[in-house]
Amino acid sequence: SSVDQQLKTLELAQVLKLKEITNKISQQQQKIQSDSMEWLAAQNDFSIKSEQLKRQKALYDSGLVSLLQLEQRNQAYQDALAKKTSAGIKFNVAKQELSRLHLEWNGAQQEYLEKISKTDADRYQVISQIATGEGEIAKLQNQYMNYSVRSGQYFLLAPQDGQLINAQRQGINE
C-alpha cells in the first residue's frame, strides 16, 4: 500500500541522512586532529620564541646585541603568539562544530523517528478501519441470511397439491 511505501521511503531517507551526518562527524574528527596538531606546533613555536626573546633581552642588556636584533626577536615572538592564539581558536571552533554535528545527528534521528511513528500510526488506523468495515459486512451478511431463512418460514408447503381440511396435530409454524 502507499502507507507501506511511505514507511520504506522514510526509513531509507533516515538511513541516508544519518550516514551523511556520520560522514561529516568523521571528517570533523579528522579536522580536529589536524587542528590540534597545528595548535600543539604553534604552542611549541611560541615557547621557543619566548625563550629566544628572553635570551635576546639578556644579551641586549649586556650590550652584546643591537636594539634592532632585539626588536626582530620581539617581532618573531609576537608572530608566534598570534599563530598560537589563532590555532587555539581554530581548534576550539572545530570542537564546537563536532558538538553541533552530534546535536544535528540526534535531531535528525528524532525527526525521522517521529515521522515514521506517525506514518505507522496512520497505517494501523487504516488497518483498523478495514477490519471495522469487514466486521460490518459480515454482520450485514448474517442479517441477510437470517431474514432469508425467516422469509422462507412464513408458509408451510405440503408435499403434494391439494386442500387441507383438518390437521391431526399442531406442528412448527402452524
Side-chain angles (χ1 to χ4, degrees):
S1 74
S2 67
V3 175
D4 289 333
Q5 186 61 37
Q6 188 178 11
L7 270 174
K8 287 178 186 175
T9 302
L10 281 172
E11 288 168 352
L12 180 62
Q14 177 189 26
V15 167
L16 293 175
K17 182 66 173 177
L18 293 179
K19 278 185 180 180
E20 174 190 346
I21 297 171
T22 301
N23 286 339
K24 287 181 182 180
I25 288 172
S26 178
Q27 291 169 352
Q28 193 63 29
Q29 287 170 333
Q30 291 172 359
K31 183 174 182 342
I32 287 173
Q33 188 175 12
S34 170
D35 288 350
S36 72
M37 298 306 266
E38 187 179 318
W39 184 55
L40 185 60
Q43 284 180 315
N44 289 338
D45 187 44
F46 175 74
S47 294
I48 291 169
K49 299 292 194 235
S50 180
E51 288 298 317
Q52 288 175 346
L53 179 62
K54 284 180 189 175
R55 286 193 299 267
Q56 195 72 18
K57 278 184 182 180
L59 289 174
Y60 176 74
D61 290 340
S62 301
L64 298 173
V65 293
S66 68
L67 180 60
L68 177 62
Q69 289 173 318
L70 177 62
E71 289 173 345
Q72 287 173 340
R73 277 293 172 212
N74 190 32
Q75 180 63 42
Y77 168 80
Q78 294 297 326
D79 288 345
L81 177 61
K83 286 179 184 175
K84 178 185 123 179
T85 303
S86 175
I89 291 170
K90 187 177 173 185
F91 178 54
N92 286 330
V93 167
K95 289 192 295 187
Q96 289 173 355
E97 177 63 15
L98 180 63
S99 295
R100 189 197 66 74
L101 285 170
H102 282 293
L103 290 174
E104 183 180 343
W105 190 92
N106 289 336
Q109 174 78 355
Q110 185 64 32
E111 175 187 350
Y112 278 100
L113 285 177
E114 287 173 8
K115 287 179 181 180
I116 289 169
S117 293
K118 183 186 179 308
T119 304
D120 211 24
D122 291 347
R123 181 172 63 110
Y124 284 118
Q125 184 178 6
V126 168
I127 290 171
S128 173
Q129 289 172 347
I130 289 171
T132 300
E134 288 173 346
E136 288 292 321
I137 289 171
K139 178 182 170 187
L140 290 172
Q141 285 175 336
N142 186 33
Q143 205 173 25
Y144 172 76
M145 289 304 294
N146 287 341
Y147 288 145
S148 177
V149 167
R150 284 185 201 158
S151 69
Q153 294 177 351
Y154 286 131
F155 300 101
L156 181 62
L157 297 178
Q160 63 189 38
D161 287 342
Q163 188 173 8
L164 183 64
I165 297 184
N166 189 9
Q168 296 297 320
R169 59 186 160 146
Q170 289 183 324
I172 300 174
N173 295 331
E174 189 171 354

